[in-house]
Amino acid sequence: MLYHSLPRAMPEGLEPLTELALDLHWTWSHAADSLWRRHGELWERTQNPWAILQNISNDELEKLAHDPDFRQDLRRAIDHRQRYLQQPAWCDQFASELGVKNIAYFSLEFGLSEALPLYAGGLGILAGDFLKTASDLALPVIGIGLLYQEGYFRQLIDANDRQIEVYPYNDPSDLPIQPVSDATGSWLKVTLELPGRTLLLRVWRANVGRINLYLLDSNDLLNGPSDRGITAKLYSGGVEMRLMQEMVLGIGGWRILEQLNLEIDVCHLNEGHAAFVVLERARRFMKKNASAFGAALWATRAGNVFTTHTPVAAGFDIYSPDLIAKYFPYFRDHLAEFDISLRDLLALGRKNPDDDAEPFNMTFLALRGCATANGVSELHGVVSRRLFSDLYPRWPEVEIPIGHVTNGVHVPSWDSAWADTLWTDACGKRRWHGDVENLTKQIQALDDNTLWEFRGAQRRDLVHYARARLARQLGQCSAPPEQINEAHRYLDPNVLTLGFARRFAEYKRPNLILHEPARLARLVLSDKRPIQIIVAGKAHPDDEMGKILIREWLDFIRRWEVRGRVVFLEDYDIALAQQLVQGVDVWINTPNRPWEACGTSGMKVLANGGLNLSELDGWWAEAYAPDLGWAIGDGREHHESGWSAIEAEQLYQVLEAEVVPAFYNRSAGGVPEQWVKRIRASISMLAPKFSSNRMLQQYLNQHYRPAADAFQRRSRNQGLLATELDAWYTNLRQRWHQVRFGTLEIKLADDYWNFYAPVYLGELKSDSIKVELYADPSGAAPRLCQQMQRQAMIPGALNAYVYRTSVRASRPSADFTPRITAYHPEARIPSEAPFILWQRE
C-alpha cells in the first residue's frame, strides 16, 4: 500500500515520530506522552501529537534531535509500540480456528479522540472503543466511516445562557490521517452514481493500533460545491443530505473494500445508517458469480450483522419514495443487474411491501439484509423485539429475531493514571488484552485505605481540571477578570461530587434532580455533609426543549447561594468525559425507562471507583444490585404524567438517606467503610463485566463466527447453496397460502396429552416446513416449543400428513397450539423466512 508523502521531513533519528503520531494507539497508551508534553500548551489544548509535528518549528526539531533525554524517551516509545504490535494477542491464541478473515465495521460516527472529531455522542464513542478493543485483541476488523470537514457542532454558552453552535473546520493536515494511494501512486478514490453526475470520494486512513479505519471524503475539487459538502457536517443539513451521507457510507464504503482487495466475511452495521451496504454487497456478489439478486442476497445476508441502538421508532431514518426515486439513480442504473423491480427493491425497506406510499426505512432494510441483529442491553433487546414485532406478524414476541449484546467500554481509554496504576499493581499490564473473568478476585484484595486514597486523588484532579476549564470557558465569553479568577476557587476536593453529563433531551430527564430546587440547594449547602455537582451536555441544534433544559440548570447555578458548588462545563466532548468519569464519586442517570438503549457513560466510572445512581434502564437494569450502587424506579414502564415527580422524590430520598450518609460516615481512621465496600464490589464485579473485551468476545462467538461460517457455506461454488435457499424461499412465498390445518385431535393417556394435527401442504414438500406444539408461559409453567413428528399420510388427500407429539398433562390442553413454520437447515427462522401458520389464529 502506498501513501502520499508527508508534509515535512524529520531530522535524522526523529523519523519514528511520524509513525508514532499517526498511530492513534497513543489515545489509550501513554508510553509516548513524555515526548509530547514538552510542547506545553499545544499538547494540553489539543492532545494531538500529529498537530504538534505539523506546528513545531524546524529549529525546535533540530534541538530535540540533539537532546539525549528526548532521544531516549523516543526509543522507549518506539520499543513499547513494537512490543504491542508484535506480542501475541488474544486472537493469536486460536488464529487457525478463528474462522473469520475480516470484519468490516460500518459506522457514521467514530469517537476515538478529540484529535479526530468524527462523532456526536454515544454511538460514535462506542465505535471508537470497538476499534481500540479490536486492536488490543487482534480481531481482524476494518473500520469504515466518513471524514467530516466540520463534524458535529461545538457548544458555547453565551452571556445570556444560550447554547451557541459553532462548526470549526477540521484541517486534514492537522488530523492524524493519511490519504490512501492506489498502485499507481494516485490518490485512491471511489465513485458513486448520482442524478446526472458521478460523485468522487477520496479515501483516507487512520491507524488505530493494529486496526485500519478508512474514511470517505466528498470534498474533492472535481465535485460540485453542494456535493463537496456531503461530508461537511454530522447530523445536519436536512433529510436529503442525510440520505447522501448514508449512500456514501454504505455503497462507497463497500467499494473501498473491493478496491483494496480486502476479503470480507462479515459486515457489521453499527446502526441502520450503513444499510445500503446490504444492496451493494449483494450487487457485487451477483456480478462476480453471475447469480440472481435473490441468491446474492441469501449469500451475503448470512455475513451481515446489524446492531440497533434505537429504542423508539422516531429514531429510524426514513425517506419518502419520491426522495429515493430522485436521489437514487443507483437503483435505476443497476436494476438490470438486480433482476428485480424498483418496487420489490424498495419493499426491503418497508413494513408492508405492498404499500407503495410507505416510506423507505433504513432500519427495516438492515433487518431484512442481515441474518442476525441485536440490541445493546438486555432490556433493549426486549424493547427491540416489541418495536420490530410488526415485521414478523403472528410470531411470539420472545421469538422476534433480535438478541442483545450489552455494550462495554474500552477501559484503557477511560481510566485515570491513578486507576491504571491501581489495576496494574493488582492485575498486571496486559489485563485488558484478553479474557477478563479472573480480574474480579485480584481487585477485590485491595485494602480500604488504598481504595479511598485512590478516589481522593482522582476527585482532586477533577476539581483542578474543572476550575481551569471553567475559567477558560468564562474567558471565551468575555467575563470580567474577577469572575474568571473566582472560578479557580470553585468546588472542593473533599466534598461528595456528583456528575451528570449527556445529551440534553427531554426523554433523558436531565433536570429530574432540579424538580425541587430548594431541596437540592439544601443538599448542596449542608454545613457538615455538602454535595457538589458538575453538569455538562449538549442539546441538538434543532431541539429547543433540550436548550431550555440547559438554561434551567444555568438559572440554578447562578443562584448566589450555590455559586461555586454547582458548575456547568460547556462543550461536552471526549476530553471532558474522561475527566468526569475519572473523578466523580457518583454518576447520575435519570432517563425515562425504557428509552435509554444502554447508556455507557455510567460504565466508564466503574474502573475508576465511581458509583452509579441511575434509573433501572439500559445497562443498569441488568447490572444493579444494592451492594453495587443505587437505583430509582420500579423496573417498569410508566407513561402517567406524574411519574417523574414520584421518581424525583425517590432520587432525593436516596441521596439524603443513603448516598450522603454513606460518604460522610467515617471510621476512626477517616475512611467511609460502607462507601469503600461498595467501591470494591462495583470496581471488581462490574468493570470487567461491562468492558468492551467481554463485548467483542461475545460478538465474535455469538455473531461473527457463525456469520462467517454461514457466508462461506452459502457463497461456495458460485453461491450454489444460496441459489437453493432462494428457490426454497420463492416456493414458500408462492405456495404458503395452500398450507392449512385439519381438525386437531387431543387425547389424554397416562398423564400425557397426545396431540394429532392433520396438516395439508398443497404443493409444498414436507421437508420445507416444521410443525411444532407451542405454549406461552403460564404461572410456573415455562414456554414450550416442541417439534411434532410426521406420521402417516392422510388417506385420499394429496401431500397431507398427521403430525403427533405428547406433553405431560400438567396444564390444560387448551394452553397448547400447533403451528407450522418454514424450515431449512441452512436458513435462520424467522429472520430470513417469517412464514407462520397457527392452528388457532
Side-chain angles (χ1 to χ4, degrees), residues 763-815:
E763 297 173 88
L764 283 180
K765 294 181 179 179
S766 60
D767 61 0
S768 65
I769 62 96
K770 181 187 293 185
V771 182
E772 298 168 321
L773 188 68
Y774 182 88
D776 284 319
S778 177
R783 185 179 75 94
L784 178 138
C785 186
Q786 182 171 302
Q787 186 169 348
M788 301 181 73
Q789 302 303 314
R790 192 180 71 186
Q791 305 295 300
M793 291 186 66
I794 298 175
L798 177 65
N799 201 23
Y801 304 87
V802 172
Y803 284 78
R804 177 190 178 279
T805 195
S806 299
V807 296
R808 186 173 293 278
S810 57
R811 51 195 294 191
S813 63
D815 285 3

Side-chain angles (χ1 to χ4, degrees), residues 315-610:
F316 301 155
D317 284 341
I318 59 173
Y319 302 109
S320 71
D322 290 342
L323 187 63
I324 294 291
K326 177 181 177 181
Y327 282 90
F328 230 148
Y330 170 83
F331 276 161
R332 184 191 65 236
D333 293 347
H334 295 302
L335 276 178
E337 298 176 36
F338 283 145
D339 195 30
I340 60 173
S341 68
L342 177 60
R343 183 172 185 266
D344 288 341
L345 203 59
L346 293 177
L348 292 170
R350 288 173 170 152
K351 180 172 67 176
N352 180 2
D354 297 323
D355 183 359
D356 292 337
E358 183 181 334
F360 185 86
N361 188 310
M362 293 292 284
T363 303
F364 293 172
L365 174 61
L367 285 167
R368 291 202 174 102
C370 298
T372 64
N374 67 276
V376 290
S377 69
E378 184 177 8
L379 177 59
H380 184 234
V382 174
V383 171
S384 297
R385 287 189 286 276
R386 182 170 68 232
L387 186 62
F388 297 116
S389 60
D390 286 348
L391 291 183
Y392 310 91
R394 296 178 298 281
W395 280 87
E397 190 174 291
V398 70
E399 293 183 275
I400 302 302
I402 301 172
H404 79 276
V405 176
T406 301
N407 286 340
V409 299
H410 182 249
V411 176
S413 292
W414 302 102
D415 61 354
S416 69
W418 302 100
D420 181 55
T421 299
L422 182 96
W423 282 86
T424 299
D425 290 346
C427 307
K429 288 185 176 181
R430 293 175 59 82
R431 60 195 174 277
W432 303 113
H433 289 188
D435 296 318
V436 294
E437 290 84 357
N438 295 327
L439 300 183
T440 294
K441 289 183 180 179
Q442 294 167 301
I443 209 76
Q444 281 177 338
L446 294 171
D447 64 81
D448 286 6
N449 286 337
T450 298
L451 286 172
W452 185 235
E453 289 170 4
F454 148 73
R455 281 299 312 143
Q458 292 180 112
R459 190 185 319 107
R460 180 197 63 223
D461 287 354
L462 172 59
V463 167
H464 292 163
Y465 174 86
R467 289 169 176 172
R469 182 153 178 152
L470 183 59
R472 192 164 63 244
Q473 175 178 319
L474 292 169
Q476 188 70 38
C477 61
S478 304
E482 57 271 18
Q483 187 177 352
I484 297 173
N485 291 333
E486 186 183 9
H488 290 289
R489 296 188 294 274
Y490 282 2
L491 305 175
D492 184 333
N494 292 309
V495 166
L496 171 61
T497 304
L498 313 185
F500 183 97
R502 57 197 13 88
R503 180 164 60 89
F504 269 65
E506 192 171 12
Y507 81 87
K508 289 182 178 287
R509 300 190 300 182
N511 293 16
L512 190 69
I513 197 172
L514 280 177
H515 186 73
E516 296 183 45
R519 191 170 179 181
L520 178 60
R522 287 197 298 272
L523 280 164
V524 170
L525 297 171
S526 172
D527 289 336
K528 296 182 179 180
R529 295 180 168 185
I531 68 170
Q532 58 192 10
I533 309 173
I534 302 177
V535 184
K538 300 177 179 180
H540 187 278
D542 298 329
D543 185 358
E544 291 304 319
M545 178 52 70
K547 294 177 183 180
I548 289 172
L549 295 172
I550 290 175
R551 286 199 295 273
E552 288 178 0
W553 263 111
L554 294 170
D555 287 343
F556 179 78
I557 289 169
R558 291 196 184 282
R559 295 170 61 156
W560 67 269
E561 68 270 25
V562 302
R563 191 168 185 169
R565 304 194 185 197
V566 183
V567 299
F568 184 97
L569 300 179
E570 69 183 15
D571 200 29
Y572 184 41
D573 59 8
I574 290 176
L576 174 53
Q578 288 171 326
Q579 296 292 330
L580 287 174
V581 300
Q582 291 167 11
V584 298
D585 296 298
V586 179
W587 191 260
I588 293 181
N589 188 23
T590 53
N592 249 325
R593 179 184 167 115
W595 290 357
E596 184 82 286
C598 185
T600 56
S601 58
M603 298 178 185
K604 298 179 178 78
V605 307
L606 298 172
N608 295 297

Side-chain angles (χ1 to χ4, degrees), residues 509 512 515 591-593 615 632-650:
R509 300 190 300 182
L512 190 69
H515 186 73
N592 249 325
R593 179 184 167 115
E615 175 74 32
I632 62 171
D634 60 2
R636 294 183 293 178
E637 297 177 30
H638 292 271
H639 305 288
E640 56 268 35
S641 59
W643 186 251
S644 285
I646 293 172
E647 291 199 334
E649 175 63 25
Q650 290 179 7

Side-chain angles (χ1 to χ4, degrees), residues 102-104 106 250-251 253-255 257-258 262-269 274-289 291 293 296-297 299-305 330 338 369-371 707-708 710-712 715:
N102 284 298
I103 301 150
F106 289 74
I251 301 168
W254 183 260
R255 291 179 181 180
L257 299 169
E258 294 231 322
L262 294 169
E263 289 188 80
I264 304 297
D265 287 330
V266 178
C267 280
H268 187 162
L269 285 60
F276 288 131
V277 71
V278 166
L279 302 178
E280 182 64 6
R281 189 182 189 188
R283 186 182 76 83
R284 294 299 301 165
F285 186 92
M286 290 169 60
K287 288 182 72 74
K288 289 180 180 179
N289 296 280
S291 64
F293 174 73
L297 183 59
T300 55
R301 176 170 55 206
N304 294 337
V305 174
Y330 170 83
F338 283 145
C370 298
F711 169 71
Q712 291 161 12
S715 57

Side-chain angles (χ1 to χ4, degrees), residues 711-730:
F711 169 71
Q712 291 161 12
R713 290 197 310 274
R714 292 187 189 183
S715 57
R716 289 189 195 113
N717 302 317
Q718 295 184 297
L720 184 63
L721 175 57
T723 301
E724 175 192 318
L725 284 162
D726 186 42
W728 165 80
Y729 178 83
T730 301

